[in-house]
Amino acid sequence: MISTYLVPLDDIAKVRDEHLAFLEGLFAQGTLVAAGRQDPPVGGMVLLDVPDEAAAREVLTRDPYVVHGFAEYEARGWAPTVGALKSYIKS
């Protein structure tokens, strides 16, 4: 999922700790594979281990950035074929 910030970075900073705690919770549950901010900081990328786009969208409805109306997400499917995550695909 690729996020786009809808508000200035000063507003994003106000809930960033809450957002990061949300992501840490997803990681602890085994739902989050990786996440990080884009450079330049216009949004972020979140790699989820979920069965489909609907599940990803449902998970991210609880993201504080979404709850506060500070960001929106666009779905992008991706299957790693080379590199560190190549063997990550589960059957």
Side-chain angles (χ1 to χ4, degrees), residues 25-34 46-50 59 62 88:
L26 293 179
F27 183 73
Q29 295 170 4
T31 302
L32 176 73
V33 177
V46 178
L47 182 56
L48 300 172
D49 184 0
V50 294
V59 165
R62 299 185 303 272
Y88 188 83

Side-chain angles (χ1 to χ4, degrees), residues 5-6 19 28 31 44 50 59 67-68 80:
Y5 297 148
L6 303 174
H19 166 74
T31 302
V50 294
V59 165
V67 171
H68 293 285

